[in-house]
Amino acid sequence: FKIQLRRERLLDYFIPTQIFEKMKKLQYFYAKGGNLGIIPSFAFANSTSIDQIVLENNNISILSPYAFANMLNITHLTLADNTLQEINRNVFVNLPNLRHLSLDRNQVMTIHDFALGHLNMMEELDLQWNSLEIITREVFTGLGKVKRLDLSHNAIQLLGDNVFSELKSLYDIDLMGNQIVSVSSTAFDGLGEVGRLNLRDNKLVKIQSSTFQPLFNLHFLDLRENLLEELNIAPIFKNFLTSGQLMVEGETSFQLPRCVCVFPGFLRA
């Protein structure tokens, strides 16, 4: 059965600790527009039946340790449009079937190292519209099954060495609308499965050609609304000869195999 709580029905409510453990047939829990503030420890712990939890727009600012723990059936968890500023360790523990985690439209500035490390089967992580300035390799430790990562509209300035190397199954990376000025030549190492990379609307002036070397399956690359003066795409040029899409604006000098060409305006190859 389902539980749905909406603001027009209940202005302020709280989540009792471990109450869902006793609801053996509850599959879906939805709460929107309330004033929860804190999700206490073990609030959603030990449920064997819940498949989806949606906690949108509830002014949630703190996720306590083990708030979501030992939930064997949960596949989708949405915590969008709240006021979270950090994600601590041991909030998400033993969720062996979680596939989708949505933390978009919060105020997240910090994700502590290994905070998501228990989510070994997750396939989609949504962190768009937050306030992240720094991301490290350790943030993504244990997320080897993630296929889609949305980090768009944050405040990230640097993509450091091997930052995504834990994400071996990644196909789609969205980094649009950040403040990225520098990308390490090893930032995308180990990402041979990536097909889509969106770096639109950042502050990139130059990208080393070796940066693209590991992306041998890349077929969509958006670099519009940057400050690029030169772009060497020789390592992945063949990817865009048939059905691939390369998107750039302005007058950018392109270094291709055996030539240097300038493409004024918009290029879709």
Side-chain angles (χ1 to χ4, degrees), residues 63-264:
L63 300 176
S64 303
Y66 304 99
F68 303 93
N70 303 320
M71 304 183 71
L72 303 184
N73 278 347
I74 189 167
T75 60
H76 288 69
L77 174 55
T78 299
L79 292 160
D81 199 14
N82 284 290
T83 55
L84 294 168
Q85 294 188 6
E86 65 177 338
I87 307 299
N88 288 300
R89 297 180 190 176
N90 296 323
V91 171
F92 309 106
V93 178
N94 192 24
L95 310 177
N97 286 301
L98 188 70
R99 298 294 192 269
H100 176 98
L101 175 60
S102 179
L103 293 162
D104 57 298
R105 290 172 286 136
N106 277 276
Q107 301 164 19
V108 176
M109 294 183 287
T110 303
I111 301 176
H112 291 274
D113 292 350
F114 313 109
L116 305 175
H118 293 282
L119 306 179
N120 306 120
M121 299 304 294
M122 188 163 61
E123 297 179 352
E124 186 168 351
L125 177 58
D126 191 345
L127 287 161
Q128 64 178 307
W129 292 105
N130 277 287
S131 302
L132 290 167
E133 295 182 6
I134 298 173
I135 53 173
T136 65
R137 175 179 179 174
E138 289 73 20
V139 166
F140 305 114
T141 296
L143 303 184
K145 298 287 188 181
V146 168
K147 297 178 181 178
R148 184 174 185 274
L149 174 63
D150 194 340
L151 287 163
S152 62
H153 304 290
N154 277 273
I156 300 166
Q157 299 179 29
L158 169 69
L159 299 181
D161 294 344
N162 301 292
V163 65
F164 298 118
S165 61
E166 297 287 328
L167 302 166
K168 302 298 185 182
S169 302
L170 199 57
Y171 172 78
D172 187 341
I173 315 175
D174 195 341
L175 290 156
M176 176 180 174
N178 279 276
Q179 303 292 318
I180 300 171
V181 297
S182 178
V183 179
S184 166
S185 62
T186 63
F188 302 120
D189 276 13
L191 301 187
E193 298 297 319
V194 168
R196 299 178 60 88
L197 174 59
N198 190 349
L199 285 162
R200 182 176 181 174
D201 190 17
N202 280 284
K203 299 184 182 300
L204 292 166
V205 176
K206 185 177 181 179
I207 303 176
Q208 300 179 57
S209 62
S210 58
T211 301
F212 297 115
Q213 191 75 46
L215 305 176
F216 46 80
N217 280 313
L218 189 69
H219 59 81
F220 177 92
L221 175 60
D222 194 342
L223 291 164
R224 289 175 291 175
E225 297 179 69
N226 277 282
L227 305 171
L228 289 168
E229 298 173 355
E230 183 178 286
L231 180 63
N232 187 338
I233 61 170
I236 55 170
F237 177 64
K238 63 179 177 59
N239 298 16
F240 301 100
L241 291 178
T242 54
S243 60
Q245 290 183 314
L246 173 63
M247 300 182 179
V248 182
E249 284 179 332
E251 283 202 3
T252 301
S253 173
F254 283 79
Q255 295 186 26
L256 308 177
R258 300 184 180 179
C259 73
V260 176
C261 312
V262 175
F263 294 87

Side-chain angles (χ1 to χ4, degrees), residues 40-52:
S41 295
F42 303 103
F44 290 94
N46 303 315
S47 169
T48 58
S49 61
I50 294 180
D51 176 65
Q52 293 188 50

